[in-house]
Amino acid sequence: MASRKKGTSLPSPFLQCISVMDGMLEERSGYPFDMPWLQAPDFELRFTTPVTVVVGENGTGKSTLIEAIAALSGYDEAGGGKGYRTVDHSNAIDVSGAGLADVLRAAWLPKITSGWFFKAETFFSVARYLDEVESPMADYLSWSHGEGFVRFFEERMRRQGIYFMDEPESALSPKRQLELLRILDRIQKAATSQVIMATHSPILMALPGARVLETTRQGIFEIDYRDTEHFRLYQSFTVDPEDFILEALRTDEGS
């Protein structure tokens, strides 16, 4: 009989820190080893809350960071649970951030082996994999895109573990984002699981108590969600939608 995975009574965050191993970047070049925030000689990223939210503009490396930490924790770059190989990478053209796992070290207290890497762009590949192996908790493909996402979150994230999420809002309406926000709030308050999530959603980044990190060309910095470009843009739109749109169109015409 297979042994049951043991949990822990210690509160999250379980993954407490990642850092670059000495000398490991010296002979590496190109993506993903050239990310600007990785170049600091003493690069170290600490996790201090059950839910960590990573924000940033496209191209600043937030998804790369999530992929790297997930790979470092034992998850395939295409997403899924431990040991899943839902996508054949042998002929892949794109390079993911998973390669960074080769130069990083992780500090755990304690090491948690259960969890999931949710990647919006490969969700349906994972869902098909679950159908093929006849998982008792599958059938996500018979739901709409957004409904499948939420059902997945509700079922999988009730268990203790560490969860990596890359842009989970991509198929969610604002109302559905609020459902995910409530799930994340339970995790943040109970501290029985850990979530590291990259998002563009001001709704999700406003989770009470979560630590928000912004990836930039200069590094990774803690930020109040109200100071993010995402929040300020949406705020400007809601204050005066007509003027906001006119200004955006004028800017586009003048570019």
Side-chain angles (χ1 to χ4, degrees):
M1 179 182 295
S3 59
R4 298 182 65 182
K5 293 181 180 178
K6 294 182 180 180
T8 178
S9 60
L10 292 174
S12 64
F14 310 122
L15 175 59
Q16 298 201 328
C17 177
I18 62 167
S19 58
V20 176
M21 291 184 286
D22 293 341
M24 292 300 292
L25 276 178
E26 293 176 0
E27 297 182 0
R28 309 284 181 132
S29 62
Y31 179 82
F33 304 102
D34 59 356
M35 298 307 299
W37 42 260
L38 194 63
Q39 305 313 308
D42 56 348
F43 172 79
E44 182 180 86
L45 189 59
R46 291 190 172 275
F47 302 96
T48 58
T49 52
V51 178
T52 301
V53 181
V54 182
V55 303
E57 284 300 322
N58 294 331
T60 57
K62 64 183 183 305
S63 291
T64 297
L65 179 63
I66 298 297
E67 291 168 348
I69 303 173
L72 184 64
S73 304
Y75 294 86
D76 185 72
E77 61 192 81
K82 277 282 182 70
Y84 283 40
R85 292 286 293 177
T86 60
V87 175
D88 181 3
H89 304 297
S90 59
N91 296 314
I93 298 175
D94 293 337
V95 179
S96 80
L100 283 182
D102 295 338
V103 303
L104 298 176
R105 66 162 62 90
W108 297 81
L109 188 64
K111 179 69 178 290
I112 292 292
T113 58
S114 58
W116 198 273
F117 177 20
F118 178 87
K119 195 172 182 178
E121 64 188 61
T122 59
F123 174 76
F124 283 103
S125 295
V126 175
R128 280 192 294 271
Y129 173 88
L130 292 173
D131 284 343
E132 290 169 0
V133 298
E134 299 181 348
S135 168
M137 297 183 71
D139 193 30
Y140 298 113
L141 296 177
S142 63
W143 299 69
S144 75
H145 203 166
E147 288 174 325
F149 275 32
V150 172
R151 180 171 170 238
F152 173 87
F153 300 144
E154 289 175 339
E155 292 178 354
R156 296 282 169 170
M157 297 177 72
R158 291 184 181 276
R159 312 170 189 177
Q160 185 178 68
I162 183 166
Y163 298 93
F164 304 96
M165 308 178 79
D166 187 16
E167 300 183 11
E169 76 280 4
S170 64
L172 302 182
S173 69
K175 184 177 180 180
R176 292 294 189 187
Q177 290 181 42
L178 290 175
E179 292 182 47
L180 175 55
L181 186 73
R182 285 189 281 271
I183 294 171
L184 295 172
D185 186 55
R186 289 197 297 267
I187 291 174
Q188 176 68 24
K189 289 177 177 176
T192 52
S193 290
Q194 182 175 4
V195 175
I196 302 175
M197 172 181 66
T199 183
H200 289 293
S201 167
I203 291 176
L204 298 181
M205 65 180 71
L207 175 70
R211 186 179 184 214
V212 181
L213 300 174
E214 183 178 33
T215 57
T216 72
R217 307 274 180 199
Q218 290 72 44
I220 300 175
F221 305 98
E222 187 167 358
I223 189 172
D224 188 296
Y225 77 92
R226 298 175 187 83
D227 294 328
T228 64
E229 187 67 24
H230 302 73
F231 179 84
R232 289 179 172 178
L233 186 147
Y234 277 83
Q235 186 180 50
S236 296
F237 172 76
T238 56
V239 168
D240 192 340
E242 290 79 10
D243 185 65
F244 176 89
I245 295 300
L246 287 174
E247 180 60 30
L249 295 176
R250 280 196 296 269
T251 301
D252 183 62
E253 291 171 355
S255 60

PDB file of all heavy atoms in Angstrom, residues 53-76:
ATOM      1  N   VAL A  53       2.169  37.808  -4.394  1.00  0.00           N
ATOM      2  CA  VAL A  53       1.665  38.224  -5.699  1.00  0.00           C
ATOM      3  C   VAL A  53       2.798  38.899  -6.468  1.00  0.00           C
ATOM      4  O   VAL A  53       3.425  39.831  -5.959  1.00  0.00           O
ATOM      5  CB  VAL A  53       0.477  39.196  -5.555  1.00  0.00           C
ATOM      6  CG1 VAL A  53      -0.041  39.606  -6.934  1.00  0.00           C
ATOM      7  CG2 VAL A  53      -0.642  38.561  -4.731  1.00  0.00           C
ATOM      8  N   VAL A  54       3.047  38.425  -7.681  1.00  0.00           N
ATOM      9  CA  VAL A  54       4.098  38.990  -8.523  1.00  0.00           C
ATOM     10  C   VAL A  54       3.443  39.738  -9.677  1.00  0.00           C
ATOM     11  O   VAL A  54       2.617  39.177 -10.405  1.00  0.00           O
ATOM     12  CB  VAL A  54       5.030  37.890  -9.071  1.00  0.00           C
ATOM     13  CG1 VAL A  54       6.148  38.513  -9.897  1.00  0.00           C
ATOM     14  CG2 VAL A  54       5.614  37.063  -7.928  1.00  0.00           C
ATOM     15  N   VAL A  55       3.790  41.014  -9.833  1.00  0.00           N
ATOM     16  CA  VAL A  55       3.207  41.841 -10.889  1.00  0.00           C
ATOM     17  C   VAL A  55       4.341  42.419 -11.737  1.00  0.00           C
ATOM     18  O   VAL A  55       5.507  42.363 -11.361  1.00  0.00           O
ATOM     19  CB  VAL A  55       2.350  42.982 -10.309  1.00  0.00           C
ATOM     20  CG1 VAL A  55       1.254  42.422  -9.407  1.00  0.00           C
ATOM     21  CG2 VAL A  55       3.205  43.975  -9.520  1.00  0.00           C
ATOM     22  N   GLY A  56       3.972  42.999 -12.869  1.00  0.00           N
ATOM     23  CA  GLY A  56       4.973  43.619 -13.726  1.00  0.00           C
ATOM     24  C   GLY A  56       4.505  43.651 -15.160  1.00  0.00           C
ATOM     25  O   GLY A  56       3.608  42.903 -15.563  1.00  0.00           O
ATOM     26  N   GLU A  57       5.105  44.528 -15.937  1.00  0.00           N
ATOM     27  CA  GLU A  57       4.772  44.628 -17.349  1.00  0.00           C
ATOM     28  C   GLU A  57       5.250  43.394 -18.104  1.00  0.00           C
ATOM     29  O   GLU A  57       6.147  42.676 -17.647  1.00  0.00           O
ATOM     30  CB  GLU A  57       5.395  45.886 -17.960  1.00  0.00           C
ATOM     31  CG  GLU A  57       4.669  47.168 -17.600  1.00  0.00           C
ATOM     32  CD  GLU A  57       3.221  47.172 -18.058  1.00  0.00           C
ATOM     33  OE1 GLU A  57       2.929  46.657 -19.164  1.00  0.00           O
ATOM     34  OE2 GLU A  57       2.377  47.684 -17.314  1.00  0.00           O
ATOM     35  N   ASN A  58       4.657  43.165 -19.280  1.00  0.00           N
ATOM     36  CA  ASN A  58       5.122  42.078 -20.127  1.00  0.00           C
ATOM     37  C   ASN A  58       6.600  42.264 -20.452  1.00  0.00           C
ATOM     38  O   ASN A  58       7.046  43.369 -20.751  1.00  0.00           O
ATOM     39  CB  ASN A  58       4.324  42.033 -21.435  1.00  0.00           C
ATOM     40  CG  ASN A  58       2.870  41.677 -21.217  1.00  0.00           C
ATOM     41  OD1 ASN A  58       2.535  40.982 -20.267  1.00  0.00           O
ATOM     42  ND2 ASN A  58       2.002  42.153 -22.092  1.00  0.00           N
ATOM     43  N   GLY A  59       7.348  41.192 -20.363  1.00  0.00           N
ATOM     44  CA  GLY A  59       8.763  41.251 -20.688  1.00  0.00           C
ATOM     45  C   GLY A  59       9.686  41.516 -19.521  1.00  0.00           C
ATOM     46  O   GLY A  59      10.909  41.495 -19.677  1.00  0.00           O
ATOM     47  N   THR A  60       9.121  41.747 -18.325  1.00  0.00           N
ATOM     48  CA  THR A  60       9.966  42.005 -17.157  1.00  0.00           C
ATOM     49  C   THR A  60      10.302  40.734 -16.394  1.00  0.00           C
ATOM     50  O   THR A  60      11.078  40.780 -15.436  1.00  0.00           O
ATOM     51  CB  THR A  60       9.306  43.020 -16.200  1.00  0.00           C
ATOM     52  OG1 THR A  60       8.011  42.520 -15.803  1.00  0.00           O
ATOM     53  CG2 THR A  60       9.145  44.373 -16.870  1.00  0.00           C
ATOM     54  N   GLY A  61       9.706  39.612 -16.788  1.00  0.00           N
ATOM     55  CA  GLY A  61      10.134  38.337 -16.219  1.00  0.00           C
ATOM     56  C   GLY A  61       9.306  37.769 -15.094  1.00  0.00           C
ATOM     57  O   GLY A  61       9.771  36.878 -14.382  1.00  0.00           O
ATOM     58  N   LYS A  62       8.063  38.225 -14.915  1.00  0.00           N
ATOM     59  CA  LYS A  62       7.275  37.676 -13.815  1.00  0.00           C
ATOM     60  C   LYS A  62       6.907  36.217 -14.058  1.00  0.00           C
ATOM     61  O   LYS A  62       6.968  35.384 -13.142  1.00  0.00           O
ATOM     62  CB  LYS A  62       6.035  38.520 -13.543  1.00  0.00           C
ATOM     63  CG  LYS A  62       5.016  38.574 -14.650  1.00  0.00           C
ATOM     64  CD  LYS A  62       3.869  39.506 -14.295  1.00  0.00           C
ATOM     65  CE  LYS A  62       2.815  39.512 -15.382  1.00  0.00           C
ATOM     66  NZ  LYS A  62       3.383  39.841 -16.726  1.00  0.00           N
ATOM     67  N   SER A  63       6.529  35.875 -15.294  1.00  0.00           N
ATOM     68  CA  SER A  63       6.224  34.469 -15.599  1.00  0.00           C
ATOM     69  C   SER A  63       7.492  33.621 -15.547  1.00  0.00           C
ATOM     70  O   SER A  63       7.468  32.474 -15.100  1.00  0.00           O
ATOM     71  CB  SER A  63       5.571  34.352 -16.980  1.00  0.00           C
ATOM     72  OG  SER A  63       4.275  34.919 -16.979  1.00  0.00           O
ATOM     73  N   THR A  64       8.611  34.192 -15.995  1.00  0.00           N
ATOM     74  CA  THR A  64       9.895  33.495 -15.903  1.00  0.00           C
ATOM     75  C   THR A  64      10.203  33.143 -14.461  1.00  0.00           C
ATOM     76  O   THR A  64      10.662  32.028 -14.158  1.00  0.00           O
ATOM     77  CB  THR A  64      11.018  34.385 -16.475  1.00  0.00           C
ATOM     78  OG1 THR A  64      10.772  34.612 -17.859  1.00  0.00           O
ATOM     79  CG2 THR A  64      12.376  33.727 -16.305  1.00  0.00           C
ATOM     80  N   LEU A  65       9.954  34.083 -13.558  1.00  0.00           N
ATOM     81  CA  LEU A  65      10.210  33.852 -12.142  1.00  0.00           C
ATOM     82  C   LEU A  65       9.336  32.718 -11.605  1.00  0.00           C
ATOM     83  O   LEU A  65       9.828  31.828 -10.898  1.00  0.00           O
ATOM     84  CB  LEU A  65       9.946  35.138 -11.350  1.00  0.00           C
ATOM     85  CG  LEU A  65      10.152  35.058  -9.831  1.00  0.00           C
ATOM     86  CD1 LEU A  65      11.605  34.746  -9.505  1.00  0.00           C
ATOM     87  CD2 LEU A  65       9.725  36.365  -9.169  1.00  0.00           C
ATOM     88  N   ILE A  66       8.054  32.720 -11.952  1.00  0.00           N
ATOM     89  CA  ILE A  66       7.150  31.667 -11.490  1.00  0.00           C
ATOM     90  C   ILE A  66       7.592  30.312 -12.035  1.00  0.00           C
ATOM     91  O   ILE A  66       7.632  29.306 -11.307  1.00  0.00           O
ATOM     92  CB  ILE A  66       5.699  31.959 -11.918  1.00  0.00           C
ATOM     93  CG1 ILE A  66       5.205  33.273 -11.285  1.00  0.00           C
ATOM     94  CG2 ILE A  66       4.773  30.811 -11.513  1.00  0.00           C
ATOM     95  CD1 ILE A  66       5.142  33.275  -9.785  1.00  0.00           C
ATOM     96  N   GLU A  67       7.931  30.259 -13.323  1.00  0.00           N
ATOM     97  CA  GLU A  67       8.381  29.005 -13.942  1.00  0.00           C
ATOM     98  C   GLU A  67       9.647  28.491 -13.264  1.00  0.00           C
ATOM     99  O   GLU A  67       9.790  27.278 -13.036  1.00  0.00           O
ATOM    100  CB  GLU A  67       8.638  29.214 -15.431  1.00  0.00           C
ATOM    101  CG  GLU A  67       7.383  29.452 -16.246  1.00  0.00           C
ATOM    102  CD  GLU A  67       7.669  29.935 -17.657  1.00  0.00           C
ATOM    103  OE1 GLU A  67       8.828  30.304 -17.946  1.00  0.00           O
ATOM    104  OE2 GLU A  67       6.732  29.941 -18.475  1.00  0.00           O
ATOM    105  N   ALA A  68      10.566  29.386 -12.952  1.00  0.00           N
ATOM    106  CA  ALA A  68      11.822  28.986 -12.333  1.00  0.00           C
ATOM    107  C   ALA A  68      11.599  28.410 -10.943  1.00  0.00           C
ATOM    108  O   ALA A  68      12.162  27.358 -10.589  1.00  0.00           O
ATOM    109  CB  ALA A  68      12.767  30.188 -12.256  1.00  0.00           C
ATOM    110  N   ILE A  69      10.774  29.073 -10.141  1.00  0.00           N
ATOM    111  CA  ILE A  69      10.534  28.595  -8.778  1.00  0.00           C
ATOM    112  C   ILE A  69       9.759  27.289  -8.803  1.00  0.00           C
ATOM    113  O   ILE A  69      10.023  26.379  -8.003  1.00  0.00           O
ATOM    114  CB  ILE A  69       9.782  29.657  -7.950  1.00  0.00           C
ATOM    115  CG1 ILE A  69      10.556  30.973  -7.920  1.00  0.00           C
ATOM    116  CG2 ILE A  69       9.569  29.166  -6.522  1.00  0.00           C
ATOM    117  CD1 ILE A  69       9.806  32.112  -7.265  1.00  0.00           C
ATOM    118  N   ALA A  70       8.805  27.170  -9.721  1.00  0.00           N
ATOM    119  CA  ALA A  70       8.047  25.925  -9.833  1.00  0.00           C
ATOM    120  C   ALA A  70       8.970  24.774 -10.220  1.00  0.00           C
ATOM    121  O   ALA A  70       8.889  23.674  -9.649  1.00  0.00           O
ATOM    122  CB  ALA A  70       6.927  26.083 -10.850  1.00  0.00           C
ATOM    123  N   ALA A  71       9.860  25.003 -11.193  1.00  0.00           N
ATOM    124  CA  ALA A  71      10.799  23.958 -11.609  1.00  0.00           C
ATOM    125  C   ALA A  71      11.744  23.595 -10.470  1.00  0.00           C
ATOM    126  O   ALA A  71      12.055  22.418 -10.246  1.00  0.00           O
ATOM    127  CB  ALA A  71      11.588  24.418 -12.830  1.00  0.00           C
ATOM    128  N   LEU A  72      12.201  24.596  -9.736  1.00  0.00           N
ATOM    129  CA  LEU A  72      13.075  24.368  -8.592  1.00  0.00           C
ATOM    130  C   LEU A  72      12.383  23.504  -7.538  1.00  0.00           C
ATOM    131  O   LEU A  72      13.034  22.740  -6.816  1.00  0.00           O
ATOM    132  CB  LEU A  72      13.483  25.711  -7.991  1.00  0.00           C
ATOM    133  CG  LEU A  72      14.477  25.706  -6.828  1.00  0.00           C
ATOM    134  CD1 LEU A  72      15.832  25.150  -7.275  1.00  0.00           C
ATOM    135  CD2 LEU A  72      14.644  27.125  -6.267  1.00  0.00           C
ATOM    136  N   SER A  73      11.055  23.612  -7.475  1.00  0.00           N
ATOM    137  CA  SER A  73      10.267  22.859  -6.496  1.00  0.00           C
ATOM    138  C   SER A  73       9.823  21.500  -7.020  1.00  0.00           C
ATOM    139  O   SER A  73       9.121  20.766  -6.320  1.00  0.00           O
ATOM    140  CB  SER A  73       9.035  23.685  -6.084  1.00  0.00           C
ATOM    141  OG  SER A  73       9.425  24.953  -5.579  1.00  0.00           O
ATOM    142  N   GLY A  74      10.202  21.179  -8.269  1.00  0.00           N
ATOM    143  CA  GLY A  74       9.931  19.850  -8.789  1.00  0.00           C
ATOM    144  C   GLY A  74       8.791  19.720  -9.768  1.00  0.00           C
ATOM    145  O   GLY A  74       8.350  18.606 -10.059  1.00  0.00           O
ATOM    146  N   TYR A  75       8.310  20.852 -10.323  1.00  0.00           N
ATOM    147  CA  TYR A  75       7.164  20.814 -11.235  1.00  0.00           C
ATOM    148  C   TYR A  75       7.615  21.024 -12.675  1.00  0.00           C
ATOM    149  O   TYR A  75       8.548  21.788 -12.946  1.00  0.00           O
ATOM    150  CB  TYR A  75       6.138  21.884 -10.843  1.00  0.00           C
ATOM    151  CG  TYR A  75       5.512  21.595  -9.500  1.00  0.00           C
ATOM    152  CD1 TYR A  75       6.128  22.027  -8.324  1.00  0.00           C
ATOM    153  CD2 TYR A  75       4.341  20.856  -9.396  1.00  0.00           C
ATOM    154  CE1 TYR A  75       5.587  21.743  -7.084  1.00  0.00           C
ATOM    155  CE2 TYR A  75       3.790  20.568  -8.160  1.00  0.00           C
ATOM    156  CZ  TYR A  75       4.418  21.001  -7.008  1.00  0.00           C
ATOM    157  OH  TYR A  75       3.892  20.698  -5.788  1.00  0.00           O
ATOM    158  N   ASP A  76       6.940  20.356 -13.597  1.00  0.00           N
ATOM    159  CA  ASP A  76       7.257  20.488 -15.012  1.00  0.00           C
ATOM    160  C   ASP A  76       6.880  21.884 -15.498  1.00  0.00           C
ATOM    161  O   ASP A  76       5.911  22.485 -15.015  1.00  0.00           O
ATOM    162  CB  ASP A  76       6.499  19.445 -15.824  1.00  0.00           C
ATOM    163  CG  ASP A  76       6.884  19.466 -17.289  1.00  0.00           C
ATOM    164  OD1 ASP A  76       8.005  19.034 -17.606  1.00  0.00           O
ATOM    165  OD2 ASP A  76       6.066  19.930 -18.103  1.00  0.00           O
TER     166      ASP A  76
END
